[in-house]
Amino acid sequence: MTRGRIRAKLRRSQLYTFACLRPHVNETEGSVQGCPRVIYCNQPHMHKKRPLKYCTNYISTTKYNFFSYFPKALFEQFNRVANIYFLIAALLSVTPLSPFSPVSMLLPLAIVVGVSMAKEALEDWRRFMQDKEVNARKVSVHVGNGVFSYKPWEKIQVGDIVKVEKDQFFPADLLFLSSSYEDGICYVETMNLDGETNLKVKRAMEATSPLNEDEAFKEFTGTVKCENPNPSLYTFVGNIEYDRELYAIDPSQILLRDSKLRNTAHVYGSVIFTGHDSKVMQNATTSPSKRSGIEKKMDKIIFILFAILVLISLISSIGFAVKINYQTPQWWYLKPKETDVYFNPVKPLVPGLAHLVTALILYGYLIPISLYVSIEIVKFLQAIFINQDISMYDDESGIPAQARTSNLNEELGQVDTILSDKTGTLTCNQMDFLKCSVAGTAYGVSPSEVELAAAKQMAIDLEEQNREIANAKHKNSGSEIELETVITSNDGNDFKRRIKGFNFEDSRLMDGNWLKEPNVDTLLLFFRILAICHTAIPELNEETGNLTYEAESPDEAAFLVAAREFGFEFYRRTQSSVFIRERYPPKGQPVEREFKILNLLDFTSKRKRMSVIVRDEDGQILLLCKGADSIIFDRLSKNGRMYEEATTKHLNEYGEAGLRTLALAYKQLDESEYSAWNSEFQKAKSSIGADREATLEHVSDMMEKDLILVGATAVEDKLQKGVPQCIDKLAQAGLKIWVLTGDKMETAINIGFACSLLRQGMKQICITALNSDSVGKAAKEAVKDNILMQITNASQMIKLERDPHAAYALIIEGKTLAYALEDDMKHHFLGLAVECASVICCRVSPKQKALVTRLVKEGTGKTTLAIGDGANDVGMIQEADIGIGISGVEGMQAVMASDFSIAQFRFLERLLVVHGHWCYKRIAQMVIIKDFPT
């Protein structure tokens, strides 16, 4: 976390034009239809009576409360077959039919159930303490007369005006009223909501943005009419009546609970949804109840033992009835004429049935109740061992491993398939600027981790080849092949400071040498695009005196660091301008340049590009654009494709090296062209209606065409420490590893090589769908038939493989996977996948991750483990037999949904091998299950 103050003051109307997707004109229609919730801002006392009495801001994530603990916990315990049997036996033991004291049956049952309930209570108590800590957080609340004082979160009410300061979490869902920035913007980090690390720009109500001081809220009132609580994070329907005028509320004006305020001194907001009405709590899902394989196996054994017990008791009762009927009348010393229900030679059936109950109790110790006590103790102690294992403690983050449930400990030793996310799980989600292509020339000589892995494998192969040649010639000094070291040792470069986000090495561009290159003008434009085309904020680190950047994505921050190192430092942003320090070594002192920002068209997952329209010091209007290469290339003019062929070649090379790429382009505008477009853009921005966003995108597309290609960038997402070694050991142990990622196929393949998931000599099977623009039924059937044929041919190829050591890797993309997961094809796909040593699914959605996990779990019948670090991995984690969350930088949703949490992927090896094997071995010895794998 950087320190210092943000000195820039921004104005929304000029800087964040496209991103401000909201109307600011007055509404005259009254309340919004379908908006039954009424909120009186700054008047919380109005919400004390129904129908305006809303829930408190107190939240609870526990399974039980004081009143529900005993009934719910007892219900959980008697879901077990054995406990039901012991309960029945205990109830029968209090009848005259019991052959011994009821205490001998009731006490063991009470111990078993009590120990299990105590364990449940302890685990729930930890959740309660976490909730208590959250509810006790303090936030500044308006108490009247323009005075704010701190209150705990749980005391906040609907309608309160709260003041949230920098690096604090929002205590409830707030209507954004104003900010410390005079233009009413703020930056929000939403890791805990959607797993995304990039910052989001939020904008206050235009009418309320001047209320940026405590005293301004002395007389402030407003009435909000909005939708009822719902789980949709990205939508909001409502309006606010303020100062006798009606304003529509846009989703960009809602600050959601559990997101964090960044890069802004403070913001003011009115509470809209509290507690369990907030969107984050509406999205909270209870983790499914998971039971281990041994526990399920024990239930089957209990059924078998119970059947044997009934059979033995039935034989005994039949023999007893026969004895009473035929022989008891002759036993005068038993007084056969003094009969009762339990002893009647005339009606032997009733004594026989009574004896059946007695026999069931007498022989009941065939089912060992002490086994459950022992297993619960082993699991509980094992969870303590996991939590206190120093070998799984991460020194960098200070995060230990955590067993969030002890019910699945022994399952860790039975894992057959691991399904893993990539970004943030296998990689660090830390971007380094590594290479670039400018004017058709490739720059950057530093190797990526993929290239290092390939070079290492090549060295091994060449060494083996040399050894074979030497043995064949029977010479002591055979031909030697010397490999040039791919990257020099750091020992000789200790004086060089390591720069976070910048790992570029090429003397042609560094230290001002780019001025000697043939395409100086293009290089100058390339560097300026990096320094200007962004939404980042510079912040001065008071300890080091250097500028750091808070950007919406790690890629963007890496671009700014790269621009600074190349001599183009973005150092200040004002209301409508960006200031750059440009260093030209021959001239000595840096030159400060101002670029006036006219419009900014934000990056979205749909647009896959962002553009900024600026006016330079010479009055020239420029559109600077960066985005996915496929999007940019489609928008190039005929005269702008000069470097397309060379750049495409370099982009393919960067993709093979496992790098993330973006293309950069620009366009010169004349005054009349820009004025005409801007008029249309402002008109579209001011419109109200369902097609407003579509109109904005259409107008933006009109401008983002006829571009001129400048070059491309390549950044690297570093692997986490120890990932290749961990995956290699897990693969040697026979575990199948699947990687489910949203990256494109080329990047996923090369990351697979870098982390040892793919190896040289491994045969790759790529399943891809036909490119068809048609959406008709016949076209879809043709695509499905083609995919099925590919799967069938690949399966046949594996069956006909004669090399026993041959290994296959299956690679499939999300579009193809959508067809492969359909009911009539999913079993064919699974049959092929289980025959492969590694599986990579790329371009997959969160829903597809969960569906793949379910298919593997249900289709193979073996234990699956899913591991991820973000909100998009929650479905996969909950669907797997064992879910593991990485306590990384993408929030806590994955951790909260998981059964175990670790700080880094490399700890997975110890969790499975050491703890999983230890716990399984001991429990299996107790249960004596011989058909379980060891």
Side-chain angles (χ1 to χ4, degrees):
M1 184 181 299
T2 57
R3 297 183 180 179
R5 287 176 161 261
I6 302 171
R7 305 178 184 275
K9 295 273 187 175
L10 314 175
R11 189 167 65 192
R12 170 184 63 251
S13 59
Q14 294 182 349
L15 181 58
Y16 297 98
T17 50
F18 181 73
C20 186
L21 300 178
R22 62 172 179 78
H24 59 273
V25 296
N26 297 342
E27 300 261 2
T28 58
E29 303 173 350
S31 63
V32 177
Q33 292 185 357
C35 296
R37 189 179 180 96
V38 180
I39 299 160
Y40 295 97
C41 301
N42 209 18
Q43 304 171 76
H45 60 277
M46 300 286 288
H47 306 100
K48 293 184 177 181
K49 296 182 180 180
R50 295 190 179 277
L52 300 180
K53 186 176 181 180
Y54 304 119
C55 73
T56 66
N57 203 41
Y58 178 87
I59 63 106
S60 174
T61 61
T62 59
K63 291 174 62 177
Y64 315 105
N65 57 38
F66 180 79
F67 299 101
S68 68
Y69 171 68
F70 277 101
K72 289 183 69 174
L74 285 173
F75 178 78
E76 289 275 343
Q77 294 305 314
F78 289 106
N79 272 335
R80 294 178 174 178
V81 175
N83 284 352
I84 294 176
Y85 164 75
F86 294 134
L87 176 63
I88 295 173
L91 293 176
L92 292 176
S93 67
V94 301
T95 66
L97 299 174
S98 177
F100 39 71
S101 171
V103 176
S104 61
M105 291 297 293
L106 291 173
L107 186 61
L109 177 64
I111 293 175
V112 170
V113 174
V115 168
S116 299
M117 289 178 63
K119 187 191 70 172
E120 288 283 331
L122 179 60
E123 293 176 352
D124 209 51
W125 176 261
R126 293 172 181 166
R127 288 189 283 266
F128 170 74
M129 295 306 294
Q130 291 175 350
D131 293 342
K132 185 178 180 180
E133 181 181 351
V134 170
N135 290 321
R137 290 176 180 172
K138 297 292 183 68
V139 69
S140 185
V141 182
H142 184 236
V143 295
N145 298 321
V147 177
F148 283 75
S149 65
Y150 285 95
K151 288 185 179 181
W153 281 19
E154 61 184 350
K155 299 296 184 182
I156 294 174
Q157 304 176 53
V158 172
D160 275 336
I161 304 298
V162 299
K163 179 182 180 181
V164 181
E165 299 174 349
K166 181 182 177 182
D167 294 329
Q168 288 185 345
F169 289 98
F170 298 115
D173 289 352
L174 310 176
L175 172 61
F176 186 14
L177 298 176
S178 62
S179 165
S180 56
Y181 288 122
E182 64 184 21
D183 66 335
I185 69 164
C186 73
Y187 288 85
V188 175
E189 184 182 84
T190 60
M191 289 191 307
N192 290 345
L193 302 179
D194 53 21
E196 296 182 5
T197 57
N198 56 306
L199 302 182
K200 309 293 192 304
V201 180
K202 297 288 186 177
R203 292 154 187 87
M205 299 286 300
E206 187 171 349
T208 60
S209 59
L211 307 174
N212 54 9
E213 295 181 356
D214 292 359
E215 293 78 9
F217 289 93
K218 184 176 181 179
E219 304 294 336
F220 170 79
T221 58
T223 303
V224 174
K225 295 181 180 180
C226 65
E227 62 189 2
N228 278 326
N230 62 76
S232 177
L233 294 175
Y234 309 107
T235 62
F236 185 86
V237 178
N239 60 25
I240 179 172
E241 183 180 354
Y242 169 64
D243 200 17
R244 297 183 180 180
E245 294 188 4
L246 203 64
Y247 301 90
I249 300 175
D250 189 80
S252 65
Q253 296 156 357
I254 301 298
L255 306 175
L256 300 181
R257 179 188 173 112
D258 276 359
S259 52
K260 181 188 286 188
L261 182 65
R262 297 287 300 275
N263 294 354
T264 312
H266 62 264
V267 298
Y268 295 94
S270 176
V271 177
I272 302 293
F273 298 128
T274 51
H276 290 274
D277 284 348
S278 61
K279 290 186 180 292
V280 66
M281 296 305 296
Q282 291 278 313
N283 276 276
T285 57
T286 304
S287 297
S289 179
K290 297 180 181 180
R291 302 179 65 203
S292 67
I294 285 184
E295 191 172 334
K296 295 176 183 177
K297 194 75 172 181
M298 286 175 61
D299 284 349
K300 295 179 181 178
I301 294 175
I302 295 298
F303 275 119
I304 295 173
L305 292 176
F306 184 71
I308 295 174
L309 176 62
V310 171
L311 179 62
I312 294 174
S313 301
L314 189 61
I315 294 173
S316 178
S317 63
I318 292 173
F320 183 72
V322 170
K323 276 282 187 182
I324 289 179
N325 186 40
Y326 294 104
Q327 298 183 13
T328 302
Q330 301 174 8
W331 297 341
W332 57 268
Y333 50 86
L334 293 180
K335 300 181 180 179
K337 294 182 180 182
E338 296 179 10
T339 62
D340 56 21
V341 175
Y342 309 109
F343 186 78
N344 190 347
V346 178
K347 297 179 180 179
L349 182 60
V350 175
L353 293 175
H355 183 78
L356 175 62
V357 175
T358 303
L360 287 173
I361 300 173
L362 186 62
Y363 305 142
Y365 290 103
L366 183 64
I367 301 176
I369 194 171
S370 60
L371 174 64
Y372 282 88
V373 178
S374 303
I375 289 178
E376 290 296 332
I377 292 175
V378 168
K379 288 183 176 183
F380 182 74
L381 293 177
Q382 174 67 4
I384 295 176
F385 293 160
I386 293 174
N387 296 340
Q388 297 182 353
D389 190 344
I390 194 66
S391 298
M392 292 195 295
Y393 175 78
D394 186 49
D395 294 328
E396 296 180 5
S397 60
I399 298 174
Q402 183 180 10
R404 298 179 55 81
T405 176
S406 60
N407 294 334
L408 302 172
N409 293 353
E410 70 274 19
E411 285 291 275
L412 293 169
Q414 291 295 286
V415 174
D416 178 80
T417 305
I418 298 174
L419 301 103
S420 174
D421 175 44
K422 184 187 75 67
T423 304
T425 302
L426 300 179
T427 61
C428 299
N429 204 26
Q430 173 189 324
M431 307 301 174
D432 283 350
F433 188 95
L434 197 67
K435 299 182 181 183
C436 63
S437 172
V438 186
T441 303
Y443 297 97
V445 297
S446 296
S448 67
E449 291 185 339
V450 171
E451 292 172 316
L452 289 173
K456 181 179 179 181
Q457 184 63 42
M458 185 183 297
I460 294 173
D461 294 342
L462 288 174
E463 287 179 3
E464 293 178 354
Q465 183 179 355
N466 289 340
R467 196 177 299 112
E468 293 176 0
I469 294 174
N471 292 336
K473 292 184 177 182
H474 300 286
K475 293 181 179 180
N476 294 329
S477 58
S479 60
E480 297 180 359
I481 301 178
E482 296 182 359
L483 290 177
E484 182 180 354
T485 305
V486 179
I487 186 169
T488 58
S489 173
N490 291 330
D491 295 339
N493 298 320
D494 287 342
F495 64 92
K496 186 174 180 179
R497 180 172 55 90
R498 174 73 173 89
I499 301 170
K500 183 179 180 181
F502 189 74
N503 195 23
F504 180 88
E505 291 184 12
D506 196 325
S507 59
R508 292 175 294 175
L509 297 188
M510 301 302 296
D511 301 322
N513 292 332
W514 59 273
L515 292 168
K516 302 174 184 179
E517 290 294 293
N519 297 294
V520 175
D521 293 339
T522 308
L523 282 165
L524 177 64
L525 191 56
F526 178 85
F527 296 144
R528 285 180 175 173
I529 294 175
L530 292 181
I532 298 171
C533 189
H534 57 81
T535 59
I537 294 293
E539 186 169 341
L540 181 64
N541 189 314
E542 295 179 350
E543 292 182 354
T544 63
N546 297 326
L547 287 173
T548 57
Y549 302 106
E550 290 291 346
E552 291 192 11
S553 68
D555 305 65
E556 197 167 83
F559 293 151
L560 288 171
V561 173
R564 183 187 66 196
E565 296 303 314
F566 289 135
F568 293 76
E569 182 182 34
F570 162 59
Y571 71 96
R572 186 161 64 99
R573 193 193 286 276
T574 63
Q575 296 177 359
S576 59
S577 299
V578 166
F579 291 84
I580 309 296
R581 290 194 189 102
E582 298 183 357
R583 296 195 309 271
Y584 303 96
K587 298 180 180 181
Q589 295 297 324
V591 179
E592 296 188 0
R593 300 192 185 278
E594 177 185 1
F595 295 86
K596 293 186 179 297
I597 297 179
L598 304 179
N599 305 89
L600 190 144
L601 313 182
D602 262 348
F603 182 95
T604 66
S605 59
K606 183 179 180 181
R607 284 167 41 81
K608 296 183 179 179
R609 65 191 182 278
M610 75 163 292
S611 301
V612 58
I613 301 175
V614 300
R615 189 191 300 273
D616 63 17
E617 294 177 336
D618 299 328
Q620 176 66 51
I621 300 177
L622 298 173
L623 180 142
L624 310 178
C625 182
K626 66 182 180 184
D629 53 272
S630 59
I631 301 296
I632 299 298
F633 287 172
D634 289 342
R635 287 166 170 75
L636 296 178
S637 65
K638 292 183 179 179
N639 298 328
R641 299 179 180 271
M642 185 184 306
Y643 312 121
E644 182 180 9
E645 183 177 352
T647 304
T648 301
K649 178 184 176 183
H650 297 152
L651 285 169
N652 292 333
E653 293 174 354
Y654 297 155
E656 292 174 359
L659 304 178
R660 297 158 63 106
T661 58
L662 284 179
L664 276 60
Y666 81 104
K667 176 182 178 181
Q668 290 186 353
L669 306 174
D670 56 45
E671 196 71 39
S672 60
E673 179 187 3
Y674 171 72
S675 297
W677 174 85
N678 190 47
S679 176
E680 291 292 325
F681 184 77
Q682 296 299 331
K683 182 179 178 181
K685 190 183 71 170
S686 306
S687 65
I688 301 174
D691 60 343
R692 181 171 173 272
E693 291 190 19
T695 304
L696 274 171
E697 293 217 8
H698 175 70
V699 175
S700 300
D701 285 340
M702 293 170 56
M703 175 58 69
E704 295 171 321
K705 63 181 182 180
D706 298 328
L707 304 176
I708 299 174
L709 182 64
V710 175
T713 61
V715 297
E716 181 181 26
D717 192 358
K718 291 284 189 181
L719 285 175
Q720 285 196 11
K721 180 181 178 182
V723 165
Q725 296 83 354
C726 178
I727 289 181
D728 187 55
K729 291 180 181 178
L730 293 174
Q732 290 179 20
L735 276 70
K736 298 181 178 65
I737 302 174
W738 295 35
V739 172
L740 313 179
T741 177
D743 279 347
K744 59 185 180 181
M745 183 176 290
E746 294 80 6
T747 304
I749 290 174
N750 292 296
I751 289 295
F753 277 108
C755 66
S756 297
L757 187 66
L758 303 179
R759 299 179 296 277
Q760 298 294 331
M762 181 179 284
K763 300 179 181 180
Q764 297 180 16
I765 300 173
C766 295
I767 307 295
T768 56
L770 291 172
N771 291 325
S772 176
D773 297 330
S774 175
V775 294
K777 184 176 181 181
K780 291 183 178 180
E781 288 297 327
V783 173
K784 286 182 62 176
D785 292 341
N786 178 263
I787 294 173
L788 182 59
M789 182 180 66
Q790 294 182 59
I791 294 174
T792 304
N793 292 340
S795 300
Q796 190 68 20
M797 180 180 66
I798 294 176
K799 291 180 181 179
L800 297 176
E801 178 62 57
R802 296 182 179 180
D803 184 3
H805 302 291
Y808 289 86
L810 175 64
I811 300 152
I812 187 170
E813 61 178 356
K815 182 179 178 181
T816 311
L817 189 62
Y819 292 100
L821 290 176
E822 293 185 4
D823 292 339
D824 56 346
M825 198 185 299
K826 63 182 181 181
H827 295 294
H828 296 281
F829 165 68
L830 181 62
L832 170 62
V834 295
E835 294 294 331
C836 298
S838 301
V839 180
I840 296 178
C841 301
C842 47
R843 293 294 192 191
V844 295
S845 65
K847 183 178 180 180
Q848 285 179 323
K849 289 184 178 183
L851 291 176
V852 170
T853 305
R854 181 186 302 174
L855 176 63
V856 177
K857 179 179 69 173
E858 296 178 353
T860 63
K862 297 180 179 178
T863 304
T864 57
L865 180 147
I867 180 170
D869 69 321
N872 58 332
D873 303 317
V874 169
M876 175 177 69
I877 288 173
Q878 292 184 341
E879 192 66 49
D881 293 304
I882 307 170
I884 295 184
I886 299 288
S887 304
V889 296
E890 288 198 14
M892 294 295 290
Q893 280 202 348
V895 172
M896 296 303 293
S898 65
D899 306 303
F900 302 88
S901 67
I902 52 179
Q904 292 191 35
F905 183 90
R906 61 189 173 96
F907 296 137
L908 184 62
E909 177 193 349
R910 181 170 179 84
L911 188 64
L912 298 182
V913 176
V914 177
H915 294 281
H917 179 71
W918 182 91
C919 191
Y920 168 76
K921 183 177 179 181
R922 277 147 187 79
I923 293 179
Q925 288 172 347
M926 294 179 186
V927 184
I928 316 177
I929 302 174
K930 296 183 179 180
D931 59 336
F932 263 63
T934 58

